[in-house]
Amino acid sequence: PVVGQMLADLDLPRDIFIAAIARDNDIFLPYDEEFALREHDTVLVVCRSNAVKKVDKIFSSQGDYF
């Protein structure tokens, strides 16, 4: 659901923080809100354990997290 969206448009809750995005062989730090997510990006999210289900709902339909 987030593929193609700009980070600024995600409107994430305050308890969810995107720390980095891995794409191909590069790591991007999400300082640019105009950064658009692509299919197969790996998003490193920092959150409290009680927000993991929110993260799953926002970023994945498969629940691939650990």
Side-chain angles (χ1 to χ4, degrees):
V2 297
V3 171
Q5 288 191 37
M6 302 287 186
L7 294 180
D9 295 335
L10 293 181
D11 195 29
L12 296 174
R14 295 186 74 170
D15 58 346
I16 297 174
F17 175 75
I18 299 176
I21 299 153
R23 177 181 295 159
D24 301 321
N25 293 321
D26 296 315
I27 301 290
F28 299 93
L29 301 178
Y31 298 118
D32 182 4
E33 292 187 349
E34 298 296 314
F35 189 92
L37 295 171
R38 294 184 188 166
E39 189 172 2
H40 304 295
D41 281 355
T42 299
V43 180
L44 175 61
V45 176
V46 177
C47 67
R48 294 182 183 266
S49 61
N50 62 351
V52 171
K53 288 186 181 184
K54 285 190 228 176
V55 171
D56 184 45
K57 186 175 181 180
I58 293 167
F59 287 98
S60 173
S61 60
Q62 301 172 355
D64 293 336
Y65 57 87
F66 50 93

